[in-house]
Amino acid sequence: MKNSEESDSYIIHGKLALPYTYFAGRTGSTFLTTLRDQRIIMGVKCTACNRVFVPPRQTCERCMADIRSQWVTVESQGKVVNHTVIRYQDKHLPRKPPFVLAMILLNGADTPMTHILEGVNPDRVVKGMEVAAVFSPATTNTLLDIDHFEPVAEPP
Amino acid sequence: MTRNVSICAMAQIKNQPAIWQHRFQGMLMECFESIMEQTQVTFDMDTGLRNVVTCSDDVFDARTISDAAVTDVVGAHFRGEEKVAQDGISALGYAMACILSGHDDLILVMGHCKESQSESRNMCTNLSFDPFYSRPLGLDYLNAAAFQARAYMEETGLTDAHLADIVVRSRQNGAHTRHARENEQVTAKEVMASPLVADPIRQMHHYPVTDWAVGFLLCCEERAHEFTDNPVRLTGFGSCMDSYFLGDRDLTAHFALKKACARAYTMAGITDPEKELDLVELNDACAYQLPLWAEGIGITGKARGPKWMEAGGMDKHHVNLSGGMLNGNPLMLGGLARAAYGFTQLQGTAGINQVTGLQRALAHGTTGAAGQHHAVLILEK
Ligand SMILES: [Zn+2]
């Protein structure tokens, strides 16, 4: 920059912090309240392409079909299809590092969902690992009513 | 009548880790004044600038309607001003459309981003995710990229050593590029020893926090001579938005990038990108994205990225001679930085890395997690 004079240059500290409420949508409301009240993970199935979407949505983006009423229950168990080990600390993260975020394909679903994976050494996570949801003891009224996933069997 | 569009001038400040002693308005002002000085363009409502397109992000600027904070310093008061809140290469595409439609002869495009203002860039990008299924999990652009990196490495055999080569080369090229961020030169061994931040992504695989501003004057081709003796034509633009949820996408299939390219190539009359592109600037926020995007734009032939790299593809196709985004450009401006470098190359003013006999360049930008949105711009001498 042309004028990079640094004397008499003052920085003020600020912060954006603004509580919000977000309508979860009708489809999202059913998903979240069913998760909260019945500990069941729901998806929606497009009958045109036979895909089951988790998280649910009201339209199949490929078929442009209205699928909002085609609820199916998927299992709370599935396979790890991808993962990362988060080794940095930050305020938006749900756990202290290191922890694992995984893409998990639940049995009965066609789109993997992302969630926290615990109960396994982060360096021992492998593709195809069978994992199951661990529900939170008290409701959070959010997706975090699934507190995390953990391996079904002890890893070798 | 078919119109053509040229870039008549470009002005930028140096990419820096933290331009703390200037407000982003001041950063833009320097670019703006340079463009006025280079071109003598006026604000006459009949013959001058009637419309300005800006690019900025509310969260990075920590104020909503972030464009409202810069209208005066970019000359946009008392005339049209429109903001693009995604990678600024889309602002160039939008400016092209304004001129090609006959709506305007001249458009000023001004972009800024000061990543250093926030305590955490990852907290900013976490806010781009929905508050129901993604944000509570801590998803941000870094850890989302990590999923894509793992999928791509598994599928193609891209290794930690390949990634190290990309980082080393990026920093070497960055050191030869005017206005590029100054980074330490590193060896492949040092890159491979840099800490993992989101496996398989290491700290040095990820672009550093950077502040920058840039401006472009675009004009219909028939009036370009009023502002420059050395215009660069914009002959193609295309963009495509992929699915939002990472789980809905095939993270290595290039769905959106291929569609964006198809549109831009058709517009520019390109049938064989491998032969017809002389210079390529890809928006590689992370090292693995260079070969991944190279596949997507169609310059690797039948080879996957690692084999293409081993065959010398990066240098053969003049890919990211600027250092790429990996060397340091802020989010929102990665694509504008690619276009700015393509412009200097086609003008013949790129310095040590100048390619001779250059006719046509591709500049690429991405917006969203793991390249949800892609846009490509074709620039020609
Ligand atoms: Zn469908």
Side-chain angles (χ1 to χ4, degrees):
Chain A
M1 302 267 318
K2 275 179 193 156
N3 176 11
S4 275
E5 175 60 53
E6 292 180 5
S7 65
D8 206 12
S9 298
Y10 186 60
I11 287 175
I12 68 154
H13 289 264
K15 183 177 186 173
L16 289 185
L18 182 56
Y20 279 84
T21 56
Y22 302 103
F23 174 47
R26 296 201 198 288
T27 308
S29 296
T30 301
F31 175 82
L32 290 169
T33 55
T34 308
L35 178 65
R36 180 193 64 191
D37 301 336
Q38 300 177 51
R39 305 277 146 139
I40 286 173
I41 303 172
M42 304 271 279
V44 284
K45 181 172 187 167
C46 173
T47 49
C49 66
N50 275 324
R51 292 205 302 165
V52 173
F53 295 98
V54 179
R57 66 282 323 251
Q58 66 179 41
T59 307
C60 174
E61 64 176 4
R62 304 283 163 163
C63 308
M64 301 302 279
D66 188 334
I67 56 176
R68 75 186 79 183
S69 59
Q70 292 154 23
W71 287 99
V72 292
T73 300
V74 299
E75 289 181 29
S76 57
Q77 189 168 323
K79 283 188 173 60
V80 171
V81 295
N82 198 336
H83 77 282
T84 180
V85 186
I86 295 175
R87 299 184 192 269
Y88 54 95
Q89 184 153 354
D90 219 330
K91 289 170 184 162
H92 65 292
L93 297 170
R95 297 286 189 274
K96 293 260 176 287
F99 76 99
V100 176
L101 275 185
M103 291 176 72
I104 298 158
L105 186 62
L106 296 172
N107 298 331
D110 290 296
T111 58
M113 70 181 290
T114 307
H115 218 294
I116 303 155
L117 178 59
E118 292 186 340
V120 53
N121 179 332
D123 296 323
R124 295 270 178 83
V125 178
V126 291
K127 198 173 177 173
M129 184 177 255
E130 287 279 346
V131 295
V134 175
F135 295 97
S136 68
T139 186
T140 64
N141 298 302
T142 72
L143 178 75
L144 294 178
D145 276 9
I146 304 170
D147 186 76
H148 62 274
F149 282 78
E150 62 183 35
V152 173
E154 274 300 304
Chain B
M1 191 185 88
T2 308
R3 295 189 120 197
N4 288 309
V5 182
S6 297
I7 300 179
C8 295
M10 183 273 294
Q12 61 178 316
I13 58 168
K14 189 177 175 63
N15 286 272
Q16 288 182 60
I19 305 178
W20 67 270
Q21 72 280 27
H22 288 276
R23 299 168 69 211
F24 52 75
Q25 291 90 340
M27 291 157 56
L28 281 166
M29 180 69 119
E30 188 163 324
C31 303
F32 177 82
E33 286 177 341
S34 169
I35 285 182
M36 294 301 115
E37 195 180 302
Q38 290 178 52
T39 62
Q40 312 294 313
V41 67
T42 73
F43 288 86
D44 184 281
M45 289 304 273
D46 293 319
T47 60
L49 279 166
R50 296 191 305 227
N51 203 3
V52 180
V53 177
T54 60
C55 172
S56 60
D57 180 80
D58 290 2
V59 173
F60 278 111
D61 282 4
R63 60 192 290 173
T64 189
I65 333 290
S66 52
D67 50 334
V70 302
T71 50
D72 51 353
V73 294
V74 300
H77 56 319
F78 308 146
R79 64 206 65 244
E81 187 275 338
E82 281 134 24
K83 168 186 161 182
V84 167
Q86 57 178 215
D87 188 291
I89 202 162
S90 296
L92 290 174
Y94 180 52
M96 274 175 83
C98 293
I99 294 170
L100 291 174
S101 68
H103 189 67
D104 284 293
D105 282 356
L106 290 167
I107 301 279
L108 183 65
V109 173
M110 301 290 299
H112 74 272
C113 186
K114 207 172 168 183
E115 286 191 337
S116 71
Q117 280 196 147
S118 77
E119 180 180 291
S120 157
R121 181 172 61 189
N122 292 330
M123 281 177 74
C124 291
T125 60
N126 174 247
L127 291 174
S128 77
F129 287 89
D130 71 84
F132 312 108
Y133 311 114
S134 308
R135 204 186 294 168
L137 300 170
L139 278 169
D140 58 42
Y141 285 5
L142 173 57
N143 55 45
F147 290 126
Q148 189 174 45
R150 183 180 301 278
Y152 185 57
M153 291 169 79
E154 266 177 22
E155 191 178 299
T156 63
L158 186 80
T159 63
D160 206 32
H162 288 115
L163 295 175
D165 288 345
I166 294 167
V167 176
V168 170
R169 179 178 176 274
S170 160
R171 294 194 180 195
Q172 285 168 351
N173 282 332
H176 294 156
T177 303
R178 244 187 342 270
H179 303 294
R181 194 183 193 279
E182 284 174 30
N183 298 317
E184 265 180 53
Q185 296 301 309
V186 289
T187 63
K189 208 172 153 188
E190 284 166 333
V191 178
M192 288 193 278
S194 90
L196 285 162
V197 284
D199 304 20
I201 296 178
R202 297 181 184 279
Q203 195 173 55
M204 285 186 195
H205 296 163
H206 191 216
Y207 77 108
V209 167
T210 307
D211 297 346
W212 191 51
V214 65
F216 295 83
L217 180 68
L218 274 69
C219 177
C220 58
E221 196 175 25
E222 55 269 36
R223 289 188 56 196
H225 66 273
E226 293 176 35
F227 308 103
T228 180
D229 300 327
N230 197 2
V232 169
R233 290 182 299 141
L234 299 180
T235 57
F237 178 79
S239 70
C240 181
M241 182 67 89
D242 204 345
S243 303
Y244 162 69
F245 284 111
L246 296 172
D248 287 8
R249 276 193 251 162
D250 181 338
L251 293 173
T252 60
H254 311 299
F255 172 82
L257 181 52
K258 281 182 175 164
K259 278 198 167 9
C261 284
R263 289 170 190 169
Y265 293 167
T266 301
M267 192 173 166
I270 295 170
T271 53
D272 184 354
E274 210 181 329
K275 296 204 174 68
E276 295 175 66
L277 296 172
D278 306 322
L279 181 99
V280 170
E281 282 285 315
L282 299 172
N283 203 44
D284 55 345
C286 295
Y288 76 89
Q289 292 176 346
L290 189 153
L292 178 65
W293 304 155
E295 289 177 12
I297 66 162
I299 58 167
T300 64
K302 287 195 170 61
R304 297 303 303 265
K307 286 273 172 290
W308 169 80
M309 280 180 63
E310 289 159 17
M314 292 192 291
D315 288 326
K316 183 183 160 208
H317 290 281
H318 301 131
V319 179
N320 287 12
L321 294 183
S322 65
M325 178 151 175
L326 187 56
N327 187 69
N329 306 122
L331 204 73
M332 308 302 290
L333 305 188
L336 281 182
R338 310 281 66 75
Y341 187 73
F343 175 73
T344 59
Q345 277 279 358
L346 286 161
Q347 279 206 321
T349 59
I352 295 170
N353 276 353
Q354 179 66 47
V355 178
T356 51
L358 203 56
Q359 284 302 315
R360 192 187 261 148
L362 176 147
H364 160 249
T366 64
T367 305
Q372 186 189 358
H373 180 266
H374 288 270
V376 294
L377 182 71
I378 307 297
L379 303 93
E380 296 191 42
K381 190 67 201 139

Coordinates of all heavy atoms in Angstrom, one line a residue, chain B residues 167-202:
Chain B
V167 N 2.7 -27.4 -3.0 CA 3.0 -26.3 -2.1 C 4.3 -25.6 -2.4 O 4.4 -24.4 -2.5 CB 2.9 -26.8 -0.6 CG1 3.2 -25.6 0.3 CG2 1.5 -27.3 -0.3
V168 N 5.3 -26.4 -2.6 CA 6.7 -25.9 -2.9 C 6.6 -25.0 -4.2 O 7.1 -23.9 -4.2 CB 7.7 -27.1 -3.1 CG1 9.0 -26.5 -3.6 CG2 7.9 -27.8 -1.7
R169 N 6.0 -25.6 -5.2 CA 5.9 -24.9 -6.5 C 5.1 -23.6 -6.4 O 5.4 -22.6 -6.9 CB 5.3 -25.8 -7.5 CG 5.1 -25.2 -8.9 CD 4.5 -26.3 -9.8 NE 4.2 -25.8 -11.1 CZ 3.1 -25.2 -11.5 NH1 2.2 -25.0 -10.6 NH2 2.9 -24.7 -12.7
S170 N 4.0 -23.7 -5.6 CA 3.2 -22.5 -5.4 C 4.0 -21.4 -4.8 O 3.9 -20.2 -5.2 CB 2.0 -22.9 -4.5 OG 1.4 -21.7 -3.9
R171 N 4.7 -21.7 -3.8 CA 5.5 -20.6 -3.1 C 6.6 -20.1 -4.0 O 6.9 -18.9 -3.9 CB 6.0 -21.1 -1.8 CG 4.9 -21.4 -0.8 CD 5.3 -21.5 0.6 NE 4.2 -21.8 1.5 CZ 4.2 -21.7 2.8 NH1 5.3 -21.4 3.4 NH2 3.2 -22.0 3.5
Q172 N 7.2 -21.0 -4.8 CA 8.3 -20.5 -5.7 C 7.6 -19.5 -6.7 O 8.1 -18.5 -7.0 CB 8.9 -21.7 -6.5 CG 9.8 -22.5 -5.6 CD 10.2 -23.8 -6.3 OE1 9.7 -24.2 -7.3 NE2 11.2 -24.5 -5.6
N173 N 6.5 -19.9 -7.3 CA 5.8 -19.1 -8.3 C 5.3 -17.8 -7.6 O 5.4 -16.7 -8.2 CB 4.7 -19.8 -8.9 CG 5.1 -20.8 -10.0 OD1 6.2 -20.6 -10.6 ND2 4.4 -21.8 -10.2
G174 N 4.8 -17.9 -6.4 CA 4.3 -16.7 -5.7 C 5.4 -15.7 -5.6 O 5.2 -14.5 -5.7
A175 N 6.6 -16.2 -5.3 CA 7.8 -15.2 -5.1 C 8.1 -14.5 -6.4 O 8.8 -13.5 -6.4 CB 9.0 -16.0 -4.6
H176 N 7.6 -15.0 -7.6 CA 7.9 -14.3 -8.8 C 6.7 -13.5 -9.3 O 6.7 -12.9 -10.4 CB 8.2 -15.4 -9.9 CG 9.4 -16.1 -9.7 ND1 9.6 -17.4 -10.2 CD2 10.5 -15.8 -9.0 CE1 10.8 -17.8 -9.8 NE2 11.4 -16.9 -9.1
T177 N 5.7 -13.3 -8.5 CA 4.5 -12.6 -8.9 C 4.3 -11.3 -8.1 O 4.4 -11.3 -6.9 CB 3.2 -13.5 -8.6 OG1 3.4 -14.8 -9.3 CG2 2.0 -12.9 -9.1
R178 N 4.2 -10.3 -8.9 CA 4.0 -9.0 -8.2 C 2.7 -8.9 -7.5 O 1.7 -9.5 -7.9 CB 4.0 -7.9 -9.3 CG 5.1 -6.9 -9.2 CD 5.0 -5.7 -10.2 NE 4.1 -5.8 -11.3 CZ 4.4 -6.3 -12.5 NH1 5.6 -6.8 -12.7 NH2 3.5 -6.4 -13.4
H179 N 2.7 -8.3 -6.3 CA 1.5 -8.2 -5.5 C 1.1 -9.5 -4.8 O 0.1 -9.6 -4.1 CB 0.3 -7.6 -6.2 CG 0.6 -6.3 -6.9 ND1 0.8 -5.2 -6.1 CD2 0.7 -5.9 -8.1 CE1 1.0 -4.2 -6.9 NE2 1.0 -4.6 -8.2
A180 N 1.9 -10.6 -5.0 CA 1.6 -11.9 -4.3 C 2.0 -11.8 -2.8 O 2.9 -11.0 -2.5 CB 2.3 -13.0 -5.0
R181 N 1.4 -12.6 -2.0 CA 1.7 -12.6 -0.6 C 3.1 -13.2 -0.5 O 3.5 -14.1 -1.2 CB 0.7 -13.6 0.1 CG 0.7 -13.5 1.6 CD -0.2 -14.6 2.1 NE -0.6 -14.5 3.5 CZ 0.1 -15.0 4.5 NH1 1.3 -15.5 4.3 NH2 -0.3 -14.8 5.8
E182 N 3.9 -12.6 0.4 CA 5.3 -13.1 0.7 C 5.2 -14.2 1.7 O 4.9 -14.0 2.8 CB 6.1 -11.9 1.2 CG 6.5 -10.9 0.1 CD 7.3 -9.7 0.6 OE1 8.0 -9.9 1.6 OE2 7.1 -8.6 0.0
N183 N 5.6 -15.4 1.2 CA 5.7 -16.5 2.1 C 7.1 -17.1 2.1 O 7.9 -16.9 1.2 CB 4.7 -17.6 1.6 CG 3.3 -17.2 1.5 OD1 2.8 -16.6 2.4 ND2 2.6 -17.5 0.4
E184 N 7.4 -17.8 3.2 CA 8.7 -18.5 3.3 C 8.7 -19.6 2.2 O 7.8 -20.3 2.0 CB 8.8 -19.2 4.6 CG 9.5 -18.3 5.7 CD 9.6 -19.1 7.0 OE1 10.1 -20.3 7.0 OE2 9.2 -18.5 8.0
Q185 N 9.9 -19.7 1.6 CA 10.1 -20.8 0.7 C 10.3 -22.1 1.5 O 10.9 -22.0 2.6 CB 11.3 -20.6 -0.2 CG 11.2 -19.4 -1.1 CD 10.0 -19.5 -2.1 OE1 9.9 -20.5 -2.7 NE2 9.1 -18.5 -2.1
V186 N 9.7 -23.2 1.1 CA 9.8 -24.4 1.9 C 10.2 -25.6 1.0 O 10.1 -25.5 -0.3 CB 8.4 -24.7 2.5 CG1 8.0 -23.8 3.6 CG2 7.3 -24.8 1.4
T187 N 10.7 -26.6 1.6 CA 11.1 -27.8 0.9 C 9.9 -28.8 1.1 O 9.1 -28.7 2.0 CB 12.3 -28.5 1.5 OG1 12.0 -28.9 2.9 CG2 13.5 -27.5 1.5
A188 N 9.9 -29.8 0.2 CA 8.8 -30.8 0.3 C 8.9 -31.5 1.6 O 7.8 -31.8 2.2 CB 9.1 -31.9 -0.8
K189 N 10.1 -31.7 2.2 CA 10.2 -32.4 3.5 C 9.5 -31.5 4.6 O 8.8 -32.0 5.4 CB 11.7 -32.5 3.8 CG 12.0 -33.7 4.7 CD 13.5 -33.9 4.8 CE 13.9 -34.5 6.1 NZ 15.3 -34.6 6.3
E190 N 9.7 -30.2 4.4 CA 9.1 -29.3 5.4 C 7.6 -29.3 5.3 O 6.8 -29.3 6.3 CB 9.6 -27.9 5.3 CG 11.0 -27.7 5.8 CD 11.7 -26.4 5.4 OE1 11.3 -25.9 4.3 OE2 12.6 -25.9 6.1
V191 N 7.1 -29.4 4.1 CA 5.6 -29.4 3.9 C 5.1 -30.7 4.5 O 4.1 -30.7 5.3 CB 5.2 -29.4 2.4 CG1 3.7 -29.5 2.3 CG2 5.7 -28.1 1.8
M192 N 5.8 -31.8 4.3 CA 5.3 -33.1 4.8 C 5.4 -33.2 6.3 O 4.8 -34.1 6.9 CB 6.0 -34.3 4.1 CG 5.5 -34.4 2.7 SD 6.0 -36.0 1.9 CE 7.6 -35.6 1.4
A193 N 6.2 -32.3 6.9 CA 6.4 -32.3 8.4 C 5.4 -31.3 9.0 O 5.4 -31.1 10.2 CB 7.8 -32.0 8.7
S194 N 4.7 -30.5 8.2 CA 3.9 -29.5 8.7 C 2.7 -30.2 9.4 O 2.2 -31.2 8.9 CB 3.5 -28.4 7.7 OG 2.3 -28.8 7.0
P195 N 2.1 -29.6 10.5 CA 1.1 -30.4 11.2 C -0.2 -30.6 10.4 O -0.6 -29.7 9.7 CB 0.9 -29.5 12.4 CG 1.4 -28.1 12.1 CD 2.5 -28.3 11.1
L196 N -0.8 -31.8 10.7 CA -2.1 -32.0 10.1 C -3.1 -31.1 10.8 O -3.0 -30.9 12.1 CB -2.5 -33.5 10.4 CG -1.8 -34.5 9.5 CD1 -1.9 -35.9 10.1 CD2 -2.4 -34.5 8.1
V197 N -4.0 -30.5 10.1 CA -5.0 -29.7 10.7 C -6.4 -30.3 10.6 O -7.2 -30.3 11.6 CB -5.1 -28.2 10.2 CG1 -3.9 -27.4 10.7 CG2 -5.1 -28.2 8.6
A198 N -6.7 -30.9 9.5 CA -7.9 -31.7 9.3 C -7.5 -32.8 8.3 O -7.5 -32.6 7.1 CB -9.0 -30.8 8.7
D199 N -7.2 -33.9 8.8 CA -6.6 -35.0 8.0 C -7.4 -35.2 6.7 O -8.7 -35.3 6.9 CB -6.6 -36.4 8.8 CG -5.9 -36.3 10.1 OD1 -5.7 -35.2 10.6 OD2 -5.5 -37.4 10.6
P200 N -6.8 -35.4 5.6 CA -5.4 -35.4 5.3 C -4.8 -34.0 5.0 O -3.7 -34.0 4.5 CB -5.3 -36.3 4.1 CG -6.6 -36.0 3.3 CD -7.6 -35.6 4.4
I201 N -5.4 -33.0 5.4 CA -4.9 -31.6 5.0 C -4.0 -31.2 6.1 O -4.3 -31.2 7.3 CB -6.1 -30.6 4.9 CG1 -6.9 -31.0 3.6 CG2 -5.5 -29.2 4.7 CD1 -8.1 -30.1 3.4
R202 N -2.8 -30.8 5.7 CA -1.8 -30.2 6.6 C -1.9 -28.7 6.5 O -2.4 -28.1 5.6 CB -0.4 -30.6 6.2 CG -0.1 -32.1 6.3 CD 1.3 -32.5 5.9 NE 1.4 -33.9 5.9 CZ 1.6 -34.6 7.0 NH1 1.7 -34.0 8.2 NH2 1.7 -36.0 7.0

